[in-house]
Amino acid sequence: LVPRAITHIEKMLKKYGQYMVEGTTDKCFVAIFGSGQKWKVNFEKLECQCREWQLIGLPCVHTVCILIPMRHPWIEYCSEYHTVAKYVATYNLPIHAIDDPSEWG
């Protein structure tokens, strides 16, 4: 994973223990905060009810609280765009400057 993704997951790890976890099926869980607020997490679809996981492609705090006891590898639950290989592929080709503003289109 790229450093930004690792930093994100480390921040999420600090919040571990603030949530209770209930399993509903093999791939669906519910993360419950101390106040009683609940979020449904679906590992089959890589979705959380808070929508952070879908938006940024990195596990949210609710997902992390479920993954830690399961001891699954983090990389399986992160978008491929947060890997070093994809980052290198993105910036591998040169970007040519266009000096004339009329060609910007």
Side-chain angles (χ1 to χ4, degrees):
L1 294 174
V2 295
R4 181 194 169 287
I6 293 169
T7 302
H8 172 80
I9 290 173
E10 287 172 354
K11 286 181 184 177
M12 297 296 107
L13 286 172
K14 291 178 184 176
K15 297 181 181 181
Y16 177 68
Q18 296 179 2
Y19 294 83
M20 299 288 293
V21 176
E22 290 182 0
T24 56
T25 65
D26 287 342
K27 301 286 183 175
C28 292
F29 295 86
V30 176
I32 306 168
F33 191 63
S35 65
Q37 202 171 8
K38 298 179 180 184
W39 292 270
K40 184 178 175 188
V41 179
N42 186 330
F43 284 102
E44 190 171 60
K45 296 180 181 179
L46 302 178
E47 294 178 347
C48 179
Q49 195 172 10
C50 75
R51 311 214 21 96
E52 181 180 338
W53 194 8
Q54 297 93 291
L55 290 173
I56 65 172
L58 294 171
C60 62
V61 66
H62 314 111
T63 305
V64 169
C65 289
I66 296 166
L67 284 175
I68 289 174
M70 293 172 61
R71 298 182 183 201
H72 283 271
W74 295 103
I75 194 85
E76 292 179 17
Y77 300 97
C78 296
S79 171
E80 66 182 21
Y81 298 108
H82 293 286
T83 61
V84 173
K86 282 291 183 182
Y87 187 83
V88 169
T90 299
Y91 295 102
N92 193 25
L93 299 174
I95 299 172
H96 301 286
I98 301 174
D99 294 328
D100 185 8
S102 65
E103 295 179 10
W104 290 357

